[in-house]
Amino acid sequence: MKPVLKRYRQAGTIRLPVIERPGGFALFCVVLFCFLGICGYFSTQLLREENQIKTHRHLMELLSEQIENIVTQHFKIVQALSRDQAILDLLEGRGNPPNPDLTYVLETARLISEADRIYALDHNGIIVSSTRGSGHSIIGDNYAFRPYFKDAWKGRTTVFPAFDDRSGRMELHLSTPIYGTSNESIDGVLALEFDISVVEDLLYQRAERIGLLSPDGIIFTSNHPGWIFHSIRPLAKNRLENLREIKQFSGKKIIPLNLDLNRKIVQIEEENYYTALVPMPISGWKLVSFQKKDTRPALPLYYKLLVGTGLFVTGGLAMLVFFLLINIQRQKKTQSELFRTQEKYSSIFRNAVMGIYQSTIDGHFIEVNPSMAKILGFDTPGELVKKIKRIDYQVYVHSDDRRTFLKNVLKNNRISGFETQFLKKNGEKIWVQLSGRLAHAPGTDAPFLEGFCIDITEKKNSQKRSAMRQQQLLAADRMISMGVLASGVAHEINNPNTFIHSNAQFLSDAWNQVQIILDDYYEKNGDFIISGLPYSRLKEKFPVVSIRILEGSRRIARIIKELRNYSRNDESLAHAPIDVNKVVRSALVLLENMIKKSTQRFKLELNEGIPLVLGNFQRLEQVIVNIVQNACQAIEDDKQALSVSSFYSRSNERIVIICRDEGIGIPADNLKRILDPFFTTKRDSGGTGLGLSISSTIIQELDGDLDIQSETGKGTVVRVELTPAAVKDGKNAV
């Protein structure tokens, strides 16, 4: 057979194919259409399979949303009932069961929700109120073993499918915590049961094999009854025991189906099924579906012949309209690109994280995106545009910033990085960064503003926190340096003080021996002069001077010891039993001179027999030093009193340390901020504002409380309460 097509090379070029026989073109067209038909056939099969898989999954997702809607409607009723005052009164002991009003409320809610039963449980899991139901009363039954009670008691709303032995039905149990009047503690749990038949009705409307799959892989209900209480895979023995204990499946025997859900296609009863696994609104539960694979031929034989003939005829017509289609395709492509571009920028406008706005020069919004509305606390862009009529007064915290912004835009036609404060819908102040430009609407010279708005409140707060941390680090470094310096000075003073103490003792001992000789000389020769004083006066004064030198040296040594202990950096921060009275006395040694200069009416009352505290000696001493030092600085007249006392309060099992002064007091405005880091009214005199802040932190670490009461002109009372070590150990043991 001669070749149909032939290529010729001339002058290094390749000519297009040339038809040698008239019948060759027809044969070429037949081969082409056959090839296209085969490709179309297999492409149709592949597309059919892919479409079936996607449609299957979308249908299951829709079914999951329908189930979620059913559960959500019941949850709204449960959550609304959990806030009912009659239930709170019953759980908090202000009402006595049975309460007809409460029963009426629950029964009405049951009828509205078409639930089987609604009931309330106390903190022990005992049912204290319930709707009447169709069976016997469950009031007084203990449901503490039910997982949905345990979850609700932990503050979680939950859905728990389970089989009810009494009714012989599968039910969904919805539970939510009931918070007390203070909204801080959980007083009980409210539960609602409804028959799962409403969900089963949805399943039976589907042709697929569908099941509700528990986290353990057990099919709870299905439109294929033979699968109910079967597991996808074998379960461990201990897990089966646990399921029997919580009675979720009422002791039913769980039989494994041995299905591999990780595969796209599984074989059931010798037929292939597509699998779909979709999450459910119940935590950990999934919706599993098996759809029979469509094995029907893509097209019957006579259809294939018809299509082939049609392709052959259409091929000739296609060649006639080829150029027309090209022009139409180009036009459609242009329109499609225009539509995609428009949709692209519309999507950017709608979904942009930053706020995008258009506004008039006189101050009202033309259009905003959802992010802009969210930044200003509005639910929708339409609400923002409708309610904001004056941007400068309704949005800007400082209206002058709006005028400054406009001035820069009008001058330069654009602006970026302009930072100001906005007011949200609820009055909250936020920091924003604005960028904008001057634009003109098509066909008009009227200018307007358009640009971006970014919420930088968190950035500003972060910068503020960073600056504060930097100040804290600098202050901490300065405190460490002062501690090291104090320790070094104490060491330097200690050496000469040791020399003074030893020599003073030597002089005292030597005087006792020399005095015998001098007394004998005095008796024989009369009075004589030593160091400018008569011996009769010197022998009375010298022992007193010697004793004072020794006492002063011992006091210096004691102060040095306490100063070195106070400035020691205890990196371990180990907690050990400590005596608060010893801590107070140690701190007062360091402050003895300051106290003497501040007041003549200092009083110390330390009760004996106070229990030990579990903590760090140096850190607690630091607290006492800060408190007493502030009290001394607040005293303006040395006639004003200062007292430090300690005692054990048996009523609340707390150790109490009180520092009371009659100083200038603290104004009410300053008292609110007295524990804030770096807040001080004594910065000119060297105050850092860290003393009480650090003291508060230390007391909190010791599981204690720091309370400050003050009145201007009358003085201040600082009260420190600490938990004894024995009480704290007892709580930890519990």
Side-chain angles (χ1 to χ4, degrees):
M1 183 176 180
K2 295 183 180 181
V4 178
L5 301 176
K6 185 185 295 183
R7 296 180 184 274
Y8 295 91
R9 292 180 178 274
Q10 290 184 354
T13 62
I14 301 177
R15 285 190 173 187
L16 294 174
V18 177
I19 308 299
E20 285 187 342
R21 295 184 306 186
F25 180 74
L27 180 61
F28 173 76
C29 291
V30 171
V31 173
L32 177 62
F33 281 114
C34 289
F35 175 75
L36 292 175
I38 293 171
C39 291
Y41 173 79
F42 286 105
S43 298
T44 302
Q45 294 296 324
L46 293 174
L47 289 173
R48 181 192 295 274
E49 181 178 347
E50 186 66 23
N51 182 62
Q52 185 179 357
I53 293 173
K54 289 184 177 179
T55 303
H56 181 205
R57 181 168 184 84
H58 290 332
L59 289 174
M60 291 306 101
E61 289 175 348
L62 179 60
L63 181 59
S64 177
E65 290 177 2
Q66 290 176 312
I67 296 173
E68 181 179 7
N69 185 48
I70 293 171
V71 173
T72 301
Q73 289 176 355
H74 285 81
F75 252 132
K76 289 180 180 178
I77 293 176
V78 172
Q79 291 174 337
L81 287 173
S82 68
R83 297 187 290 271
D84 190 85
Q85 189 61 42
I87 294 178
L88 294 177
D89 291 342
L90 179 61
L91 292 175
E92 294 180 355
R94 293 190 292 271
N96 297 318
N99 187 331
D101 294 337
L102 178 56
T103 303
Y104 176 76
V105 170
L106 296 180
E107 188 64 29
T108 302
R110 185 188 71 80
L111 294 174
I112 293 174
S113 63
E114 297 182 355
D116 292 345
R117 197 189 305 270
I118 303 176
Y119 50 92
L121 305 93
D122 64 9
H123 65 281
N124 293 318
I126 304 298
I127 298 177
V128 296
S129 182
S130 170
T131 55
R132 287 185 288 274
S134 58
H136 73 283
S137 173
I138 62 172
I139 295 179
D141 289 358
N142 190 332
Y143 278 15
F145 67 92
R146 293 290 178 95
Y148 60 85
F149 170 78
K150 297 178 181 178
D151 287 345
W153 193 250
K154 294 177 182 177
R156 299 194 293 264
T157 56
T158 185
V159 183
F160 183 75
F163 182 82
D164 191 350
D165 284 335
R166 295 170 178 170
S167 64
R169 294 179 301 184
M170 289 175 285
E171 297 178 334
L172 290 181
H173 300 256
L174 281 63
S175 64
T176 187
I178 301 175
Y179 289 92
T181 306
S182 61
N183 285 328
E184 295 179 355
S185 61
I186 299 175
D187 289 348
V189 173
L190 189 74
L192 179 147
E193 300 176 1
F194 69 93
D195 194 347
I196 204 171
S197 60
V198 65
V199 177
E200 291 177 337
D201 291 343
L202 296 176
L203 302 185
Y204 278 103
Q205 293 174 10
R206 303 298 310 163
E208 301 87 350
R209 296 190 180 193
I210 307 172
L212 270 61
L213 198 64
S214 75
D216 297 305
I218 299 173
I219 298 176
F220 180 67
T221 187
S222 172
N223 60 354
H224 188 65
W227 282 3
I228 297 177
F229 300 134
H230 284 61
S231 62
I232 297 299
R233 58 187 179 277
L235 299 180
K237 184 177 180 180
N238 60 342
R239 186 55 192 157
L240 290 172
E241 291 293 335
N242 183 49
L243 290 173
R244 278 193 286 270
E245 288 178 5
I246 64 176
K247 300 181 180 180
Q248 185 174 14
F249 302 105
S250 186
K252 299 287 185 180
K253 185 177 181 181
I254 308 300
I255 302 174
L257 294 174
N258 295 320
L259 297 176
D260 187 1
L261 299 183
N262 294 321
R263 299 176 58 185
K264 184 171 67 174
I265 299 177
V266 298
Q267 196 170 55
I268 302 174
E269 298 175 356
E270 299 183 354
E271 293 187 357
N272 292 329
Y273 285 80
Y274 292 117
T275 62
L277 200 62
V278 178
M280 288 184 61
I282 307 173
S283 177
W285 286 68
K286 295 182 180 179
L287 200 63
V288 61
S289 175
F290 301 91
Q291 186 181 58
K292 192 173 181 180
K293 185 177 180 181
D294 188 359
T295 57
R296 293 174 298 170
L299 291 173
L301 180 59
Y302 66 94
Y303 277 119
K304 294 179 183 178
L305 296 175
L306 183 62
V307 170
T309 304
L311 288 173
F312 184 79
V313 175
T314 305
L317 296 175
M319 295 178 65
L320 298 176
V321 297
F322 179 73
F323 292 104
L324 178 61
L325 292 176
I326 289 178
N327 291 332
I328 295 174
Q329 186 65 25
R330 286 177 177 174
Q331 184 178 3
K332 288 183 177 180
K333 183 178 179 180
T334 302
Q335 292 176 348
S336 177
E337 289 178 352
L338 180 62
F339 175 77
R340 284 198 300 270
T341 302
Q342 183 179 1
E343 183 62 26
K344 174 183 176 181
Y345 286 104
S346 177
S347 176
I348 292 174
F349 181 78
R350 292 192 308 269
N351 302 317
V353 176
M354 67 182 68
I356 304 176
Y357 66 91
Q358 289 181 338
S359 67
T360 62
I361 300 296
D362 57 357
H364 69 268
F365 287 110
I366 302 171
E367 188 175 5
V368 298
N369 71 336
S371 294
M372 186 68 186
K374 184 178 180 181
I375 289 173
L376 292 177
F378 290 87
D379 296 329
T380 62
E383 182 188 6
L384 172 59
V385 173
K386 182 178 179 181
K387 291 190 175 181
I388 300 300
K389 303 300 182 183
R390 291 292 302 273
I391 295 176
D392 48 354
Y393 292 106
Q394 292 179 270
V395 176
Y396 281 79
V397 174
H398 306 291
S399 58
D400 290 341
D401 288 352
R402 166 73 175 175
R403 288 188 283 273
T404 303
F405 180 77
L406 280 176
K407 181 179 178 181
N408 283 280
V409 173
L410 295 174
K411 179 180 179 181
N412 304 313
N413 287 330
R414 64 180 61 249
I415 189 173
S416 62
F418 185 83
E419 295 183 359
T420 184
Q421 281 186 292
F422 274 5
L423 282 172
K424 295 181 70 173
K425 178 182 177 181
N426 59 4
E428 178 187 352
K429 295 180 181 179
I430 59 172
W431 278 96
V432 296
Q433 186 180 78
L434 300 176
S435 298
R437 72 183 186 94
L438 198 63
H440 297 272
T444 178
D445 293 333
F448 64 91
L449 296 175
E450 62 180 11
F452 304 105
C453 174
I454 303 175
D455 187 347
I456 60 170
T457 304
E458 184 59 32
K459 175 184 175 182
K460 285 287 187 179
N461 292 337
S462 178
Q463 291 174 347
K464 185 177 180 180
R465 290 192 297 268
S466 178
M468 182 175 291
R469 283 195 294 269
Q470 184 66 25
Q471 293 181 13
Q472 290 175 336
L473 288 173
L474 293 174
D477 183 67
R478 187 163 62 250
M479 295 293 288
I480 292 172
S481 300
M482 291 177 63
V484 172
L485 180 62
S487 179
V489 171
H491 179 74
E492 293 299 325
I493 294 175
N494 188 54
N495 292 333
N497 183 63
T498 302
F499 177 77
I500 293 172
H501 182 273
S502 60
N503 283 284
Q505 186 65 48
F506 171 76
L507 289 175
S508 178
D509 295 340
W511 170 258
N512 292 334
Q513 297 178 15
V514 171
Q515 187 178 6
I516 299 173
I517 300 172
L518 293 176
D519 284 343
D520 181 63
Y521 182 84
Y522 173 74
E523 291 176 0
K524 293 179 179 180
N525 300 300
D527 206 354
F528 55 93
I529 302 299
I530 297 179
S531 188
L533 291 175
Y535 174 70
S536 57
R537 289 186 58 195
L538 180 64
K539 71 177 183 177
E540 295 175 357
K541 189 173 183 180
F542 189 86
V544 175
V545 172
S546 178
I547 290 172
R548 288 182 177 177
I549 293 174
L550 286 172
E551 289 179 351
S553 177
R554 292 190 187 102
R555 182 182 173 193
I556 292 173
R558 187 169 67 252
I559 293 174
I560 290 172
K561 178 182 177 182
E562 297 299 335
L563 185 61
R564 292 174 69 178
N565 288 337
Y566 179 74
S567 62
R568 184 174 62 196
N569 183 19
D570 190 355
E571 295 180 354
S572 66
L573 296 180
H575 284 197
I578 55 175
D579 184 347
V580 295
N581 286 347
K582 288 185 179 180
V583 175
V584 173
R585 292 189 182 98
S586 177
L588 294 181
V589 169
L590 298 176
L591 300 172
E592 184 177 355
N593 187 52
M594 176 179 279
I595 294 172
K596 287 182 178 180
K597 289 182 178 181
S598 300
T599 180
Q600 298 179 10
R601 297 172 57 196
F602 176 71
K603 186 177 182 180
L604 178 64
E605 293 180 346
L606 304 179
N607 287 4
E608 299 299 329
I610 295 178
L612 301 179
V613 173
L614 192 64
N616 181 275
F617 190 97
Q618 280 74 29
R619 289 174 69 80
L620 184 56
E621 183 183 27
Q622 182 180 356
V623 174
I624 304 302
V625 168
N626 284 331
I627 293 173
V628 177
Q629 190 176 43
N630 287 340
C632 291
Q633 293 172 350
I635 294 176
E636 296 181 322
D637 187 348
D638 61 0
K639 299 296 189 295
Q640 294 173 337
L642 169 63
S643 66
V644 178
S645 61
S646 67
F647 61 90
Y648 177 61
S649 175
R650 298 187 181 277
S651 60
N652 57 359
E653 295 184 324
R654 303 276 272 184
I655 298 170
V656 182
I657 303 172
I658 296 178
C659 178
R660 189 189 310 271
D661 69 74
E662 297 179 353
I664 59 176
I666 305 172
D669 292 341
N670 292 343
L671 191 60
K672 298 176 182 178
R673 305 174 56 196
I674 198 69
L675 298 180
D676 292 347
F678 300 103
F679 176 76
T680 178
T681 58
K682 301 177 290 186
R683 197 169 299 278
D684 294 339
S685 58
T688 63
L690 288 174
L692 288 177
S693 175
I694 294 174
S695 298
S696 177
T697 302
I698 293 173
I699 295 301
Q700 290 177 4
E701 291 174 355
L702 297 177
D703 193 22
D705 297 308
L706 177 64
D707 179 66
I708 302 176
Q709 301 292 331
S710 183
E711 187 175 350
T712 305
K714 294 187 177 181
T716 303
V717 178
V718 181
R719 183 185 181 96
V720 177
E721 293 189 4
L722 302 169
T723 303
V727 173
K728 186 179 294 186
D729 290 341
K731 291 182 179 179
N732 293 336
V734 173

